[in-house]
Amino acid sequence: MRRVMTALALASAVVTVAAACSSGPGKAPPSPVQVPATYYLSLGDSLAQGYQPGASGRSVVTGQGYADQLYAVLRPRQPGLRLVKLGCGGETTATMIHGGICRYQGGSQLAAAVSFLRAHRARISLVTLDIGANDPQSCLTATSAGKLVSCTVTALPHATSNLKAILGALRRADPGAHIIGMNYYLPALAEWRHGLPGELLARAVELAAAGYNDLLDRDYRDYRVRVADVAGAFASGDFGSPASVPGLGRLPRNVAAVCRWTWECAPPPRGPNEHPNQAGYRVIAQAFLAAGAASARRPER
């Protein structure tokens, strides 16, 4: 047996030497083809970073956000694609423009995004944007009709005006960028579970949010930005079509979606929390794909 193994080893060595000689003296093996780097730029608030409540209830960054899941789908088609996340938890349209929450080179997320777009204009494959949910946060979490009306009158027009400024700056930085924005699901629909007052509040919030999402959609389209219909994916306006949710019983379709796909109906310490769970982030990523993320701009070569 030992003689057989020795013979096999010698034969292997001879084959290796022969192969090395056949490549010629001084010749290096061929280098792998270098794939040019391209970029997917994720902009916005905590959703753009991907937040979920940790074991203590405090929201922390997860690797399962919608940008991460979208990137996982797109990268096999674009081997050189890199994900750059500039999102900031708690960001509003105003702080995205002026800064004040997260630290960025240039002073604000918008300044950092504009700088990145200009520096990599020929290599930007996709830009996704979710901003505006924190502006009327008091509207979407209002506990009375009076507070809902007050914040709707003051917050929403200001947010849409800021969004136009953001979109204008991004378009000037890269006129041909493939940008997709999103509208919003409604965590406050979970109030439905709290009797008649909760049901009335959920309906009022849905009406206000539907109007806000319409304004966002219009502004996006004015700047040639496609819209990921997250509100539609969460069936936000559908108070019919009851669905069963484990532990919660039968709920309207839109309420059931919020309870299934976010932490809003979860018990403490993780809930209530408005951020999506992994399945919810997947729903959002699919909405971006449906809006055209799969046909992202092919960068110049």
Side-chain angles (χ1 to χ4, degrees):
M1 185 65 164
R2 183 177 300 172
R3 290 180 180 177
V4 173
M5 295 301 293
T6 301
L8 288 175
L10 288 172
S12 176
V14 170
V15 170
T16 301
V17 172
C21 291
S22 66
S23 64
K27 287 187 177 180
S31 301
V33 177
Q34 294 295 321
V35 179
T38 57
Y39 299 95
Y40 161 25
L41 182 62
S42 174
L43 305 175
D45 52 33
S46 58
L47 298 184
Q49 276 291 343
Y51 274 69
Q52 287 188 5
S56 67
R58 182 173 177 270
S59 292
V60 295
V61 176
T62 172
Q64 293 297 325
Y66 78 76
D68 303 281
Q69 296 195 41
L70 188 54
Y71 175 65
V73 173
L74 298 177
R75 193 174 187 280
R77 309 172 195 181
Q78 302 182 49
L81 189 64
R82 299 178 183 176
L83 172 59
V84 177
K85 295 197 286 186
L86 295 183
C88 174
E91 195 86 296
T92 66
T93 56
T95 61
M96 184 170 182
I97 295 171
H98 304 294
I101 298 180
C102 298
R103 298 182 64 180
Y104 295 96
Q105 186 174 1
S108 71
Q109 183 179 169
L110 181 59
V114 166
S115 177
F116 189 89
L117 289 173
R118 287 174 176 166
H120 302 86
R121 182 179 290 188
R123 296 294 175 195
I124 301 297
S125 178
L126 175 66
V127 180
T128 59
L129 173 65
D130 71 88
I131 195 67
N134 291 319
D135 292 70
Q137 187 64 24
S138 56
C139 303
L140 305 184
T141 59
T143 55
S144 71
K147 290 181 179 179
L148 180 63
V149 171
S150 176
C151 71
T152 299
V153 171
T154 58
L156 303 193
H158 187 63
T160 55
S161 176
N162 285 338
L163 178 61
K164 291 177 183 179
I166 291 167
L167 295 174
L170 296 177
R171 271 283 167 243
R172 289 189 294 274
D174 188 348
H178 184 65
I179 307 175
I180 304 177
M182 65 170 265
N183 55 27
Y184 290 97
Y185 63 94
L186 303 177
L189 289 173
E191 292 295 319
W192 179 279
R193 301 169 299 140
H194 301 147
L196 181 58
E199 293 180 14
L200 294 175
L201 183 59
R203 288 187 180 277
V205 168
E206 190 280 323
L207 286 174
Y212 184 49
N213 279 332
D214 286 343
L215 292 175
L216 294 179
D217 291 356
R218 183 190 66 191
D219 289 343
Y220 281 134
R221 292 191 172 99
D222 284 347
Y223 287 86
R224 295 179 291 109
V225 172
R226 295 188 181 188
V227 180
D229 187 14
V230 174
F234 274 70
S236 293
D238 188 356
F239 284 96
S241 311
S244 294
V245 179
L248 299 175
R250 301 276 286 175
L251 295 171
R253 185 184 177 197
N254 53 359
V255 180
V258 165
C259 290
R260 286 172 175 164
W261 293 334
T262 77
W263 296 91
E264 192 65 19
C265 302
R270 291 186 185 271
N273 186 296
E274 72 275 12
H275 291 105
N277 53 32
Q278 183 175 343
Y281 277 123
R282 185 180 306 115
V283 171
I284 296 173
Q286 289 169 347
F288 274 100
L289 285 170
S295 58
R297 183 178 72 172
R298 298 297 176 181
E300 301 170 10
R301 294 191 177 277

